[in-house]
Amino acid sequence: MIASMLRFLTSGESHGPQLTVVIEGLPAGLEISEEDLRRDLARRQGGHGRGGRQKIETDLARIVSGVRGGFTIGSPVTLVLENKDHVNWTGQMTASKEGFEPKVVTRLRPGHADLAGALKYGHTDIRNVLERSSARETATRVAAGGIARKLLGHFGIDVVSFTQSIGTVDIGFDGCDPDILTEDDVEKSPVRCPDPEASQRMVAAIDEAAEQGDTLGGTFRVIARGVPAGLGSYVHGTASWTAGSRRRCCRSTR
Amino acid sequence: MIASMLRFLTSGESHGPQLTVVIEGLPAGLEISEEDLRRDLARRQGGHGRGGRQKIETDLARIVSGVRGGFTIGSPVTLVLENKDHVNWTGQMTASKEGFEPKVVTRLRPGHADLAGALKYGHTDIRNVLERSSARETATRVAAGGIARKLLGHFGIDVVSFTQSIGTVDIGFDGCDPDILTEDDVEKSPVRCPDPEASQRMVAAIDEAAEQGDTLGGTFRVIARGVPAGLGSYVHGTASWTAGSRRRCCRSTR
Amino acid sequence: MIASMLRFLTSGESHGPQLTVVIEGLPAGLEISEEDLRRDLARRQGGHGRGGRQKIETDLARIVSGVRGGFTIGSPVTLVLENKDHVNWTGQMTASKEGFEPKVVTRLRPGHADLAGALKYGHTDIRNVLERSSARETATRVAAGGIARKLLGHFGIDVVSFTQSIGTVDIGFDGCDPDILTEDDVEKSPVRCPDPEASQRMVAAIDEAAEQGDTLGGTFRVIARGVPAGLGSYVHGTASWTAGSRRRCCRSTR
Amino acid sequence: MIASMLRFLTSGESHGPQLTVVIEGLPAGLEISEEDLRRDLARRQGGHGRGGRQKIETDLARIVSGVRGGFTIGSPVTLVLENKDHVNWTGQMTASKEGFEPKVVTRLRPGHADLAGALKYGHTDIRNVLERSSARETATRVAAGGIARKLLGHFGIDVVSFTQSIGTVDIGFDGCDPDILTEDDVEKSPVRCPDPEASQRMVAAIDEAAEQGDTLGGTFRVIARGVPAGLGSYVHGTASWTAGSRRRCCRSTR
């Protein structure tokens, strides 16, 4: 049985007029407000070492379809996140030929999809790639995730996540007890690691890497609690979002 | 091979702030303008016997993502159709609890999804259903279709459609020659039947039915010309509705 | 909400060792037997004017997965239909290089996908196309449909279909009353038209066309009875193409 | 653009007559033999600490559709893996009511889907779950993967994988150089770790855990080499299997 009943598509350029996400498949009667989504969007914008862009935008996901009087009505939910900075970018980003005055970008950023994207479509202006292969895109997924969280919450399922490792600083699989972990434990840390001491060392590691013009990878874990046994599928891989047992809740275990 | 590489989701209530469609999968470099879409949207609003709603709205599909300087850039294209009438409906249609003052609709329209929708979700206010099970929703699909038409046009494929029958008036499978049919032949008729005489009889039949408080069904045919042989699939049904040859271009043949 | 929870893939060449269909998404506990499928498969093989191939094969869909002791267990159901004639075709159809002795087919059948398929893949042996673009392929879909019928039957939904028109012989939309139609009414006719007199005229029309080396198209209607209101979706087209107008309404009855 | 053009469904119970996989979307003209798949299937059956079941079966994937004279023809490819042991299980596993003599299993295995599956469908005989939630199911995916490997190989892409860690033994992200790694380097190790010394420690760790009736988790890395830049998508998450650069080739980076 196909477990997933939600479909969504995201869109929007980093400096375009807006980001958009359409989510199809939500039942009617789910209570959702713009306020509900604000907290997740704010969390996305925090974190030690994030770029300056995060600071200009205080994201608000405007609900423009699918919700009436505070409750979903069964039709697709559309969220719009305006890019407040767009007014300064209309010459670069207008959809029309008229008024289009691009400053062509030719410098490829390492660690992004810039080169791959340019080769894929033959773009000579890298802006055509970077406007989409941008951290900004994740805002729509965070907003969509906020709605999924509301749906799961209705069934007593809650989802928390935290940073297990950054660079060589690793609290290990047993570094935190997922059964008692709270979101506050996580949010207190600028790198979202519930272990305060490790958290400090992670910050130091990031700063050290930054000084050398480098970045660091890491590991995060997502814990879903209250998931009823039997949700998902064990009979076919493609649809098998199963999670469930605590031991499987993080993808790479030791 | 899965022939379809385009995915889209539509959203929006009939009296909500906007209709939206996100189209994913378009290649970069396709020339698209809001003007391109205007003609199809205007055609949708014409036709003998359409409801009054069609007259208030002169639809414009605003491109808010995926197009830069007149050309697609490879990222999802988002079209927004504002509902100009929404300002008069904010109390009915606001997403928030605040300011929500619904006038509950309890009368079920026959021939619509009103009853089915109400039973599906347990709605007591039928507006929750009718706002989506509305002809207005088709505007997004027309706009998306306009973009698909541009993509096909790039490959020398054009698509025309016409009305073959309304009620008992039927020009038959051989009633028009699809090889020489032009869109103008179709547009001249208020019911989009390229046969002028039959067209008049169709108008009369509609008027007669309307007098009796009834409506009429009909048959339309879609002709795709210039489709290269080999497009689509003959090996698997799910992905392979391709038509192609003239004989198959309409689903019900004689 | 995506209404469909069943996925399936069919495979198999017309003269290969077997046809196969894998059906994923059936719940556990549904009673299914090879006998259940036999009737639909036999119906597929009947009908006035069918080719000679239909006569050699008396299809049996062997259940090789997903069913235990007469009931589905929740895992994918696999049906295998052996091609009894395959023993005479091993030199033509073997998957291996060894023993492969093809008699190359170069004659393209009109009204089939032969030309399109040959152009699609550059086949010089048309057998590579015709083995799949063959009426034989439909046997797997009939078998899969038989299982879907069992699932629907569990919920009190039954599905009957009949021929409304062949060539110019048409019993019209009101030519049969779908509420009282039985499968026996349909099966009595060699062309599956419940109107005995029209049925005879259809047979005559087919014979006449055959004499001229031609074939005839037609219209069939599918009636689903007992469908609960609210099944399906009115909010999004992709999952809910349900027709609507009376002429096309073959899908839903008056 | 949806990068994936291949779809597949697997089926089959661990002690049923056969495992099956249907793969749809392969182009015509790809050279494939049963011999090609044998090696991957044999690799699947090796490895320190595998269960006894692996020893009885020497899997052969029989090609029963989609391939003719050694080359794909564009239609779906079906692979059948017979369960040689099935003859001893017909009373337990027959699809029919007749001859069905189940020995009901009520003991739930920890670390499997047994409990979840039983609760999902209300099974009282756990065999209904364990026959599918079994390592045996992976044989079909290995066989399908073997075909995907052939397709990628045609474009100069090769895929190797290895074990990076088992329990606390971890060779780290820099523990092997993916550019020069060969499959032989991996296959020499009973746990597929290319570092011989770490490999020995992993074997010891497994044995130690086994003595305590426990198992160990681990990390593996998959390296795709020769992937052309631009494959995949950077514009939408759902379809974006991109991998590509070496740095991203393993999901958990340092």
Side-chain angles (χ1 to χ4, degrees), chain B residues 233-237 240 248, chain C residues 10-16 18-19 44-45 50-54 56-57 59 81 83 85 89 93 109-115 117 126-142, chain D residues 73 75-76:
Chain B
S233 170
Y234 60 89
V235 304
H236 211 272
S240 68
R248 299 286 303 282
Chain C
T10 71
S11 68
E13 279 68 53
S14 197
H15 299 93
Q18 65 177 60
L19 304 179
R44 172 185 162 276
Q45 295 184 278
R50 300 303 302 266
R53 178 70 194 275
Q54 304 301 339
I56 353 173
E57 307 270 344
D59 278 319
L81 287 83
N83 287 324
D85 203 28
W89 288 82
M93 296 303 300
R109 295 168 303 166
H112 283 72
D114 293 3
L115 177 60
I126 305 303
R127 178 160 305 286
N128 289 337
V129 182
L130 66 82
E131 283 288 331
R132 185 71 187 159
S133 69
S134 152
R136 181 103 192 96
E137 189 269 337
T138 61
T140 49
R141 283 191 266 164
V142 167
Chain D
I73 60 171
S75 49

Side-chain angles (χ1 to χ4, degrees), chain B residues 11-241:
Chain B
S11 67
E13 279 69 52
S14 197
H15 299 93
Q18 65 177 58
L19 304 179
T20 311
V21 56
V22 179
I23 305 155
E24 209 269 323
L26 286 165
L30 184 69
E31 193 168 352
I32 290 178
S33 71
E34 294 175 357
E35 198 50 42
D36 287 331
L37 307 173
R38 197 188 297 267
R39 184 152 175 270
D40 282 329
L41 288 168
R43 285 177 62 224
R44 173 186 161 275
Q45 295 184 276
H48 185 76
R50 301 301 303 265
R53 178 71 194 275
Q54 303 301 336
K55 275 142 206 165
I56 352 173
E57 307 269 344
T58 311
D59 278 320
L60 171 75
R62 205 152 40 84
I63 301 172
V64 299
S65 83
V67 179
R68 214 181 145 223
F71 293 88
T72 57
I73 59 172
S75 50
V77 171
T78 306
L79 306 176
V80 169
L81 287 82
E82 271 167 48
N83 288 324
K84 285 166 199 150
D85 203 28
H86 175 61
V87 289
N88 304 317
W89 289 82
T90 49
Q92 296 275 358
M93 295 303 298
T94 179
S96 69
K97 285 184 180 173
E98 209 173 338
F100 182 56
E101 292 162 9
K103 289 171 205 151
V104 171
V105 177
T106 55
R107 198 180 211 168
L108 298 159
R109 294 168 304 167
H112 284 71
D114 292 4
L115 178 60
L119 290 170
K120 181 178 187 74
Y121 291 122
H123 289 308
T124 48
D125 183 353
I126 306 304
R127 176 161 306 285
N128 289 337
V129 181
L130 65 83
E131 284 288 329
R132 184 73 187 157
S133 70
S134 152
R136 182 103 192 97
E137 189 269 337
T138 60
T140 49
R141 283 191 266 164
V142 167
I147 286 184
R149 185 197 288 275
K150 290 287 289 187
L151 179 61
L152 294 173
H154 183 79
F155 297 99
I157 302 172
D158 82 309
V159 178
V160 285
S161 62
F162 62 93
T163 302
Q164 181 182 315
S165 74
I166 289 180
T168 56
V169 186
D170 190 338
I171 62 171
F173 190 78
D174 297 320
C176 102
D177 182 343
D179 289 334
I180 60 168
L181 182 72
T182 67
E183 210 169 270
D184 281 348
D185 294 339
V186 176
E187 291 306 310
K188 263 182 265 173
S189 157
V191 288
R192 292 194 174 109
C193 175
D195 177 328
E197 185 272 332
S199 178
Q200 284 186 337
R201 285 191 291 137
M202 288 173 181
V203 167
I206 291 170
D207 291 343
E208 199 184 309
E211 258 168 54
Q212 292 160 26
D214 204 354
T215 57
L216 290 175
T219 318
F220 61 92
R221 277 165 61 192
V222 180
I223 316 288
R225 294 183 289 211
V227 180
L231 200 66
S233 170
Y234 60 89
V235 304
H236 211 272
T238 317
S240 68
W241 192 82

Side-chain angles (χ1 to χ4, degrees), chain C residues 182-233:
Chain C
T182 66
E183 210 168 270
D184 281 347
D185 295 338
V186 176
E187 291 306 310
K188 263 182 262 172
S189 157
V191 289
R192 291 194 176 108
C193 175
D195 177 326
E197 186 271 333
S199 178
Q200 283 186 338
R201 286 191 289 136
M202 287 173 182
V203 167
I206 290 170
D207 291 343
E208 200 184 308
E211 257 168 53
Q212 293 161 26
D214 204 354
T215 56
L216 290 175
T219 319
F220 62 91
R221 276 165 61 193
V222 180
I223 315 287
R225 294 183 289 212
V227 179
L231 200 64
S233 170

